[in-house]
Amino acid sequence: MMAADSDPESEVFEITDFTTASEWERFVSRVEEVLNDWKLIGNNASKPPEKGEYTTGTWEEKTQDINFADFKFSVTHHYLKQESEEGEGKEQPEEDAFPTAMQDLLCMNNDFPPRAHCLVRWYGVREFVVLSPGTNCEAVISESKCNLLLSSISISLANTGCQVPMFVQIQQKWRKMYHGECQGPGVRTDFEMVHLRKVPSQYNHLSGLLDIFKSKIGCPLTPLPPINIAIRFTYVLQDWQQYSWPQQPPDFDTLLGGEVGGVEFGKLPFGACEDPISELHLATTWPHLTEGIVVDNDVYSDLDPLQAPHWSVRVRKAENPTCLLGDFLTEFFKLCSKKESTEDILGRAPIEEEGKDDISHALSKLTEPAAVPIPKLSVSNMVHSARKRISRHRRVDESPLSNDVLNSILLYLFPDAAVDKSSSDNSESKAAQANTDGKPEEKDSDDCNLYNQLKSAPSDSLTYRLALCVCLVNFYHGGVRAVAHLWQEFVLEMRYRWENNYLVYGLASGPPDLRCCLLHQKLQMLNCCIERKRARDDGRKSAEGGRERKVSGSSGTENGRLRPDSAAAAEGGREASPGKSWDSWSDSEGEEEFFECLSDTEEIKENSSVDEERGGAKVVKPEGRLHPHGKLTLLNSQEPLYIPVTQEPAPMTEDLLEEQSEVLAKLGTSAEGAHLRARMQSACLLSDMESFKAANPGCSLEDFVRWYSPRDYVEAEVVDDSGDTVVKGDLSARMKIPGNMWMEAWATAKTTPARRQRRLFDDTKEAEKVLHYLAVQKPADLARHLLPCILHAAILKEKEEESVEDILSARKAIQQATSHASKLLRHPSPDYKKLEDVIGQLMAVETVIARSRSLKAKFGIGKAEQGDGAEDLERFVSSLLEEPEVSVIGAGRGPAGSIIHKLFVSAQRVADFTCDEGFLVDVEAALLAPLDEDIGRAGGADDRKPPGGAIVPDFPPPAGREILLRTCVPRPAPYSKALPQRLFCVLLREDFRLAGAFSSDTSFF
């Protein structure tokens, strides 16, 4: 029974309702909705466009997708953004006003715009809508589909009253075929197009095209209204010949030759390896002609480019020309992705085998006193031993860098080793070096701060020079193997300088500069270690000399130590005061020298014996005083409060600071962890307390706080027992907390001057850590460390080159690249993919500068002054780089026009001579022939005749011809309105296009 009931329901009777909309009707409706949404209804009249506005103005577009059944279309509205004027166009009755597009058909202010949509160039309209197949959709090719789409837009325009022209893209997209329509009150314009591969012979000139235009408009009037003609011929110059770009090839011999060859390592190359300007396009234009003025048919033509009233030029730039600086940066950047270590590249050098014969003397070498030799500095004796060890295990022909190249690099990196000097001269050179380290402060602030922005290194530092050398050897001398060899030699040089107490040249004194790259900080840390080691060794020598003089009865002692004179003060190291570097106070007189506690046993005994001699009562004598602290006195006595001589805090690089922060963070937030963290951070505090106790015998914690942390000593006015108001001070609340680390440290602090304390900074340990860090760096690690310096050098080079050329766009691009690189390089782990984009930006700037130089060379700028025209010519060449097309002042008779004419004449000579293989000698003569004489079509023709006797034309056949025909005639009947008609013709070697806009009166038709 249930099955019987379900049968009628399963068989539904289908009724076709012909009143519902079809897919085509839905499509038309959707188009109308889009036009309404964009408010393209009615005639929004506006003023005619200004001359050149199509090129300089702003074009905008908006797109919306619609469907015809399952086929996707894209509707795009293109329009020129203009300032709308209130009330303009509304004074006339709407039925009498033509659509704006029809008015644009006859406007002559923007013929042949150099940069615009093709429909703007062909029809001159400032606003239009395009209906085109969506992406990944097949083209509309069949005639029935094309007609269906044209009918659709026609109905949509009529239903909505839209007066904006609407086009449909048909055929394959590369053909740029558009048909369209524009409707107005009682008028309609049909946009039609013809596209052929070859130019029909009967339409290869103005005469044939005029015939097409006249037959198409079909004007019934016997005296045909005049036809306005605009013609543009484009000539292409591809062969520049002797007008080449001014890039000299690098002289590889001078890079490494001679005594001054090392200076060349500081220069990055710059410029294009090929001509960055490939073609010059000359457009000769006749903007206003009529049919009777000019003759152009298959027999004769009046269209002489030299007689054209308007010339304009554009240049075609070579795509990604090879440039020297760009190649250097690209090859250096590739180093960052290498995986091999130095040992993998050069092989493991078994240095440990060396010295096996001397094992029996190892202990004696350790126990005997190590006198520090001060030999004369030179490259040969500084790297001789290291290179000798390496050469034992590597044949000479296997070394990536030859000895000459390596010596030149070391001379450039370490100029202090180039000339033999005495120790005194050496100290003077270091003083001079310290002065040069301050030079960036005197430079322009932008250049001074550039290394800070990029986190690289100062441009006169060792790290910066090392980066340039690595970049050079990577490009010219064997790639990654040469880099590994250079780095190995550099590390050996660093160890040699550490072991022999030679300061590293080219580094600013003081602690590591955290604004610079990590490698620069490491080298500065090594220099700090060498400075501390030299000071300690010098102090020990001075102490030994003082004890000898004391034993001999000399009267130059104070408290059992030698009182330093000015010479000793210059040589000996001192204890460092807070906020002062070691060198800054070591030159002051009358202060105590620095000794390690283990080396002062005898002096301690001497001091104790002196105390015992003074009556047996132990008198604590102050030690390590720097100077009184203003007028403050100790709280427990009237003795002045002295600032002690303290140890400098240990210098740290950013990776050590980060490591220390991680260790402290891992201690957690518990009470025990916090206490341990405080003890780890109080080493410097404990040292300062001990120094303070030694300088101020009988002092209290309150005295120390008054000097060390004045905010923690609170003074207040109180009334004493006698009623007088007195100022009384006390420790702050945080200082009174039980278990305070300051109280614990004060209780455990001994009375020990800074010179007898345990060193806060173990220079030996830190130096070995730095040397180990340098030794384990792979070439890729080195490249990543030095990449900021290379970018820094490249930016400085481009700034230098741009200042000569004065190109505004290049200047802005350099600023953008600098800002981009700064944001990336300040990050702990930079994004190297984005850094590659920065290199691309710098390469683009180099290309722009190379193009500018190429054009200036071709137009003779800078070779000789040309009077008043030189400035105009330079402005013209600069505009060629910035603008899509530049007008030539004076056309062919102006200064720029005459140079362009000579360029074409030279190319024509060579082209004519090279047609025959027998004229090779004449080619050379043609290239060397002067072009300063006036060259014209009429005069001088005999001078340009080759041996064959044929006249060589000044210009080649035009590569492209554009002819624009316009008129205003009544259509379709003689009594119809006179409406604009337009035909744009494009004639190329393998392309023929006719784009016509034909208007007709629809009032009675």
Side-chain angles (χ1 to χ4, degrees), residues 428-449:
E428 292 177 4
S429 70
K430 289 183 177 60
Q433 169 195 345
N435 294 333
T436 58
D437 289 338
K439 255 196 315 190
E441 301 296 333
E442 303 173 3
K443 296 181 181 178
D444 186 72
S445 59
D446 293 339
D447 294 336
C448 176
N449 294 330

Side-chain angles (χ1 to χ4, degrees), residues 435-484:
N435 294 333
T436 58
D437 289 338
K439 255 196 315 190
E441 301 296 333
E442 303 173 3
K443 296 181 181 178
D444 186 72
S445 59
D446 293 339
D447 294 336
C448 176
N449 294 330
L450 186 58
Y451 78 88
N452 185 16
Q453 296 176 29
L454 300 177
K455 200 170 175 60
S456 61
S459 56
D460 58 349
S461 65
L462 173 64
T463 314
Y464 185 91
R465 295 197 301 271
L466 175 65
L468 296 178
C469 291
V470 170
C471 191
L472 182 74
V473 300
N474 175 61
F475 193 83
Y476 284 135
H477 299 289
V480 66
R481 295 189 73 247
V483 172

Side-chain angles (χ1 to χ4, degrees), residues 242-262:
Q242 72 265 40
Y243 298 92
S244 61
W245 80 106
Q247 178 63 40
Q248 297 295 331
D251 189 354
F252 298 104
D253 294 333
T254 60
L255 284 176
L256 302 172
E259 289 296 326
V260 297

Side-chain angles (χ1 to χ4, degrees), residues 159-209:
N159 291 343
T160 58
C162 175
Q163 297 186 15
V164 176
M166 193 166 184
F167 295 88
V168 175
Q169 185 172 13
I170 60 177
Q171 303 297 327
Q172 294 85 355
K173 289 190 176 183
W174 63 267
R175 297 187 65 180
K176 296 182 179 179
M177 288 282 290
Y178 298 89
H179 279 226
E181 187 175 317
C182 177
Q183 294 185 9
V187 293
R188 185 184 74 241
T189 301
D190 295 313
F191 299 94
E192 303 172 0
M193 199 169 292
V194 174
H195 183 224
L196 303 175
R197 284 280 192 182
K198 297 292 184 181
V199 181
S201 58
Q202 65 270 30
Y203 306 129
N204 199 21
H205 41 73
L206 176 61
S207 176
L209 297 173

Side-chain angles (χ1 to χ4, degrees), residues 46 71 83 145 253 278 302 468 510 534 568 588 723 793 813 911 915 933 997:
S46 59
F71 194 90
E83 295 182 2
K145 290 182 179 180
D253 294 333
S278 58
D302 287 335
L468 296 178
R534 284 166 58 99
S588 60
C915 291
E933 67 273 4

Side-chain angles (χ1 to χ4, degrees), residues 844-977:
V845 172
E846 182 184 18
T847 303
V848 170
I849 297 175
R851 286 170 180 161
S852 173
R853 290 185 172 173
S854 174
L855 286 174
K856 287 183 178 180
K858 291 171 176 57
F859 283 88
I861 295 177
K863 294 182 179 178
E865 293 295 332
Q866 301 178 7
D868 297 336
E871 185 176 349
D872 294 337
L873 189 61
E874 188 168 352
R875 192 181 303 111
F876 167 77
V877 172
S878 300
S879 300
L880 280 176
L881 293 172
E882 307 288 343
E883 301 174 12
E885 191 170 283
V886 182
S887 297
V888 180
I889 300 175
R893 294 167 294 280
S898 62
I899 294 176
I900 295 170
H901 182 204
K902 293 174 184 179
L903 290 172
F904 274 99
V905 169
S906 174
Q908 283 295 99
R909 286 184 181 180
V910 176
D912 184 75
F913 281 124
T914 53
C915 291
D916 191 340
E917 295 180 358
F919 292 132
L920 294 179
V921 177
D922 295 324
V923 172
E924 183 179 357
L927 289 175
L928 299 177
L931 292 172
D932 294 335
E933 67 273 4
D934 294 331
I935 301 174
R937 286 183 75 88
D942 295 336
D943 297 336
R944 297 193 304 276
K945 288 183 181 180
I951 297 178
V952 180
D954 290 358
F955 292 89
R961 290 173 291 166
E962 295 170 290
I963 300 175
L964 176 57
L965 308 176
R966 280 175 292 216
T967 189
C968 197
V969 299
R971 285 183 76 225
Y975 51 82
S976 301
K977 294 179 183 178

Side-chain angles (χ1 to χ4, degrees), residues 524-543:
Q524 284 186 304
M525 174 66 84
L526 183 61
N527 238 14
C528 290
C529 298
I530 296 174
E531 286 179 355
R532 298 288 180 91
K533 183 181 176 186
R534 284 166 58 99
R536 191 171 65 255
D537 292 345
D538 293 344
R540 184 182 295 113
K541 288 181 181 179
S542 300

Side-chain angles (χ1 to χ4, degrees), residues 586-605:
S586 62
D587 293 333
S588 60
E589 297 184 10
E591 297 302 331
E592 299 169 348
E593 298 176 1
F594 187 90
F595 295 94
E596 285 187 286
C597 58
L598 296 179
S599 63
D600 291 331
T601 307
E602 297 179 2
E603 189 175 351
I604 295 173
K605 293 180 180 178

